[in-house]
Amino acid sequence: MPHTFTQIYVQVVFAVAFRQSLIMPVFKEEVQKYIAGILQRRGQKLIAINSMPDHVHILIGQKPNVALSDLVRDVKQASSSLINQKRWVRGRFNWQEGFGAFSYSQSHLDSVIKYIRNQERHHARKTFKHEYLALLNRFKIRYEPKYLFEFSSDE
C-alpha cells in the first residue's frame, strides 16, 4: 500500500485462560520477545509490551495491512504454541477468548508507555479486573459483564 499514510496507536490487553497466573517471571522476557517477533513479521510496530503472570499489555503502531482481530488471534495462537512446546506450564496453556483494544493519539504515547512499563507497581495496588473495567469505562466502551474475561471469585 505505497500511498497509504496512517497513524494508529492501539493498546491491546488479553488474559490467560481462567485468569491463571501462568506466565512465570523466568519466561516473561522470552514470551515478550516472541510476541515482538510475531508483530514484526506481520509488519506492525511494537512500541511497548509488558506481561504480568495473568495478562499482557501491548502498545502497537498498527499498520492497516492486517485487521486487529486477525493480528491478536495470530499473536495468541503462536505464543500459546510456544509456551506449550516449551512445557512452561503443567497441562495446556491457553489465552482467554477475546481482548480489549484502546486507541490513543500520539500525544498520549509517553503516558501509555509508562503505564505499560509500570504494570508490576500498578498491580501492587489494583487488580487486573479493576484495571480492565477502568479502561472500558474510561473509553466509554459498552460491554456485557457475561462477556468479560473470566475472573476468579475473589476479584
Side-chain angles (χ1 to χ4, degrees):
M1 299 200 293
H3 297 291
T4 301
F5 306 99
T6 64
Q7 186 179 65
I8 305 167
Y9 300 106
V10 180
Q11 178 186 190
V12 177
V13 182
F14 51 90
V16 175
F18 306 110
R19 293 269 294 100
Q20 298 179 79
S21 293
L22 298 177
I23 303 172
M24 297 297 121
V26 68
F27 307 126
K28 176 179 175 166
E29 186 176 341
E30 190 169 346
V31 169
Q32 291 178 175
K33 285 181 179 178
Y34 193 77
I35 290 172
I38 297 164
L39 294 169
Q40 184 179 24
R41 283 189 297 281
R42 295 297 309 264
Q44 306 304 306
K45 180 181 180 185
L46 175 64
I47 299 170
I49 185 170
N50 197 352
S51 59
M52 296 299 294
D54 61 352
H55 70 282
V56 174
H57 290 261
I58 305 169
L59 178 61
I60 61 170
Q62 186 181 359
K63 306 290 186 205
N65 63 331
V66 62
L68 184 61
S69 57
D70 292 342
L71 180 65
V72 175
R73 179 201 61 218
D74 293 349
V75 165
K76 290 167 73 173
Q77 284 178 350
S79 59
S80 290
S81 293
L82 171 77
I83 292 167
N84 286 318
Q85 287 171 1
K86 299 266 188 175
R87 299 185 187 270
W88 286 341
V89 300
R90 291 171 61 140
R92 183 136 183 88
F93 178 89
N94 286 299
W95 298 106
Q96 274 189 336
E97 265 189 67
F99 61 93
F102 310 95
S103 62
Y104 295 90
S105 66
Q106 184 163 6
S107 63
H108 291 101
L109 289 185
D110 287 342
S111 62
V112 177
I113 292 166
K114 201 176 299 181
Y115 174 78
I116 290 172
R117 288 183 179 158
N118 290 318
Q119 281 291 294
E120 288 81 0
R121 189 170 7 145
H122 178 72
H123 284 294
R125 298 182 315 266
K126 191 182 237 183
T127 66
F128 174 59
K129 179 179 183 178
H130 289 113
E131 172 190 50
Y132 193 67
L133 291 174
L135 282 167
L136 291 172
N137 291 325
R138 181 167 19 122
F139 282 84
K140 296 180 175 36
I141 297 174
R142 297 175 72 189
Y143 60 90
E144 284 286 331
K146 68 181 179 181
Y147 295 119
L148 286 177
F149 297 134
E150 298 168 359
F151 294 104
S152 62
S153 59
D154 60 337
E155 284 195 70

